[in-house]
Amino acid sequence: MSPAALLRALPLAALLLLSPVRAVRQARRPNVVLILTDDQDVCLGGMTPLKKTNTLIAQMGVTFVNAYVPSALCCPSRASILTGKYPHNHHVVNNTLEGNCSSKLWQKIQEPYTFPALLKAVCGYQTFFAGKYLNEYGAEDAGGVGHVPPGWSFWYALEKNSKYYNYTLSVNGKARRHGENYSVDYLTDVLANMSLDFLEYKSNFEPFFMMIATPAPHSPWTPAPQYTKSFQNVSAPRNSNFNIHGKNKHWLIRQAKTPMSNSSIQFLDDAYRKRWQTLLSVDDLIEKLVKKLEVNGELDNTYIFYTSDNGFHTGQFSLPIDKRQLYEFDIKVPLLVRGPGIKPNQTNKMLVANIDLGPTILDIAGYDLNKTQMDGMSLLPLLRGDKNVTWRSDFLVEYQGEGYNGSDPTCPGLGPGVTHCFPDCVCEDSYNNTYACVRTLSASWDLQYCEFDDREVFVEVYNLTADPHQINNIAKTIDQEILEKMNYRLMMLQSCSGATCRTPGVFDPGYRFDPRLMFSNHGLRARRFSAQFL
């Protein structure tokens, strides 16, 4: 066996003991931990089960109550976290290899410039990853589990999508198979144990970054044995957009059957309970991690971020269960942060997005953000409570549907292009479920403006001050000037890159509107995006 192969095969403890020692002067820089859950909503009670997390992170730091993702799907969202970029700049548009999810193109063009790569190569951080990376990671056509992305000192990545048992991990490029024995295989607990081992054996002479990406609460929603009886009396919330017809919405929403069948409602209620049950193991992971940092004397010098890759819906507008839609329940996520200089029990209402995580963590590490091409903004001034911070009032949401030009065999009557269909033929996605939105939050407006790239060139607009559950599409009644300005702003954001993604929004004093460009190439932007990169 070659020396390189031998090194890859060593257990975590041995690798850590062999890790090179950097200058002692680096030791005082802050450490960073990022915990990323999978499909955890915030609008429908997704944080409720996490009592320990609330106590140990939220109550000891800041909760961002307006935190969003620019794409409500796992792979594009995770790519945005890693790169600090919108999907139109990192080019990961959905969960497929064809959609650039962990593809060779992603590995060549984007991976070398992710924030962990910069942390390790430039800032001298030891970096640790454990859990779900990108949905197609480990695919044979993308290099298999032998591919270890640049930027990671220690790599424990799940092959493909979320599982709890019977999965394969890439352990520094070597496949390790796990079975279905709870004590040694339950993935959330395995990630917790690996993380504790890293904290036990890592170098004490250089700062560290840890990214722990749990499977919970993603399907198949397999709880740990001790939690299978929890929340027996809990059902999915019956809020005002539950089990109603999505009138005046895009055709994919309108195709849902209302009222839902009893079997669909029972299914989504069961899924909702199981999702909560899986999160109890995440809560245990957080507790173990914080206690270990405290015992090691490192808690006071460590930032801990907690967030999710996207939200989720359970019965809203009669869609049984999924994400991928433009509404608050799918694009809004939890974001909790504790760390040095952050006052306890803080709530921040600024409009933040997961493209801000990379710039924030690099800023914490002392990296010059002017050297990056990231679209996001550093949250560090908000974390420190700086006064008179100039902040965004809008951001971009964009998604390109999966699907294919064929019929779902379970729902042949719906025609070609639909996907993720339930037995009663309600489908959650389609190849032309392709849209872009401006989500605006300012002193005067809480607004969402969306355009679909389809034959209808459909537009949805919501005033969330009057209609927080996004029931009434006001595209045909809103003031025409606002509509025109939002259309123009959407054009600007869809073509933005880096600093131009942070220009003033429609309701900022510095916004400049040129009506001559208002409807230029209207409806063609997403098509160009699709043809160019897929």
Side-chain angles (χ1 to χ4, degrees), residues 268-324:
L268 69 86
D269 279 339
D270 289 343
Y272 189 87
R273 281 189 289 272
K274 291 175 182 176
R275 284 164 53 79
W276 275 25
Q277 291 167 358
T278 66
L279 284 168
L280 293 176
S281 294
V282 177
D283 216 26
D284 292 340
L285 182 157
I286 299 294
E287 181 182 46
K288 294 172 185 176
L289 187 72
V290 171
K291 284 184 176 180
K292 183 64 175 177
L293 288 167
E294 188 171 27
V295 168
N296 287 3
E298 294 172 316
L299 183 59
D300 290 342
N301 194 39
T302 301
Y303 288 90
I304 304 176
F305 293 75
Y306 181 98
T307 192
S308 173
D309 57 3
N310 48 256
F312 207 70
H313 57 257
T314 48
Q316 283 61 47
F317 305 123
S318 298
L319 297 173
I321 54 164
D322 201 51
K323 51 269 187 179
R324 308 169 202 268

Side-chain angles (χ1 to χ4, degrees), residues 433-491:
N433 181 35
T434 296
Y435 58 81
C437 307
V438 180
R439 181 69 177 90
T440 292
L441 185 62
S442 67
S444 54
W445 282 97
D446 189 353
L447 186 73
Q448 186 171 16
Y449 172 91
C450 302
E451 294 181 8
F452 281 83
D453 178 33
D454 59 12
R455 292 179 181 177
E456 293 181 289
V457 193
F458 201 79
V459 175
E460 295 187 28
V461 183
Y462 298 98
N463 178 356
L464 282 93
T465 302
D467 180 23
H469 292 136
Q470 295 168 290
I471 295 171
N472 300 309
N473 178 9
I474 59 172
K476 294 181 179 179
T477 59
I478 193 170
D479 183 271
Q480 185 66 24
E481 183 181 356
I482 293 177
L483 206 63
E484 293 170 355
K485 286 183 176 180
M486 296 307 293
N487 171 270
Y488 178 45
R489 179 62 175 164
L490 180 59
M491 291 173 58

Side-chain angles (χ1 to χ4, degrees), residues 395-532:
F395 76 99
L396 177 68
V397 181
E398 50 189 352
Y399 175 63
Q400 180 163 304
E402 292 184 18
Y404 55 95
N405 194 24
S407 297
D408 189 305
T410 62
C411 303
L414 290 176
V418 295
T419 185
H420 296 80
C421 300
F422 285 83
D424 51 0
C425 289
V426 174
C427 302
E428 296 280 2
D429 203 5
S430 69
Y431 71 94
N432 67 343
N433 181 35
T434 296
Y435 58 81
C437 307
V438 180
R439 181 69 177 90
T440 292
L441 185 62
S442 67
S444 54
W445 282 97
D446 189 353
L447 186 73
Q448 186 171 16
Y449 172 91
C450 302
E451 294 181 8
F452 281 83
D453 178 33
D454 59 12
R455 292 179 181 177
E456 293 181 289
V457 193
F458 201 79
V459 175
E460 295 187 28
V461 183
Y462 298 98
N463 178 356
L464 282 93
T465 302
D467 180 23
H469 292 136
Q470 295 168 290
I471 295 171
N472 300 309
N473 178 9
I474 59 172
K476 294 181 179 179
T477 59
I478 193 170
D479 183 271
Q480 185 66 24
E481 183 181 356
I482 293 177
L483 206 63
E484 293 170 355
K485 286 183 176 180
M486 296 307 293
N487 171 270
Y488 178 45
R489 179 62 175 164
L490 180 59
M491 291 173 58
M492 294 172 62
L493 286 174
Q494 281 192 281
S495 60
C496 77
S497 179
T500 61
C501 297
R502 305 187 290 271
T503 55
V506 169
F507 299 103
D508 288 329
Y511 179 73
R512 295 294 178 265
F513 175 48
D514 184 353
R516 294 172 298 178
L517 301 177
M518 192 168 57
F519 293 111
S520 174
N521 295 323
H522 183 86
L524 298 179
R525 294 180 297 276
R527 292 187 183 92
R528 289 203 308 272
F529 173 48
S530 174
Q532 184 176 354

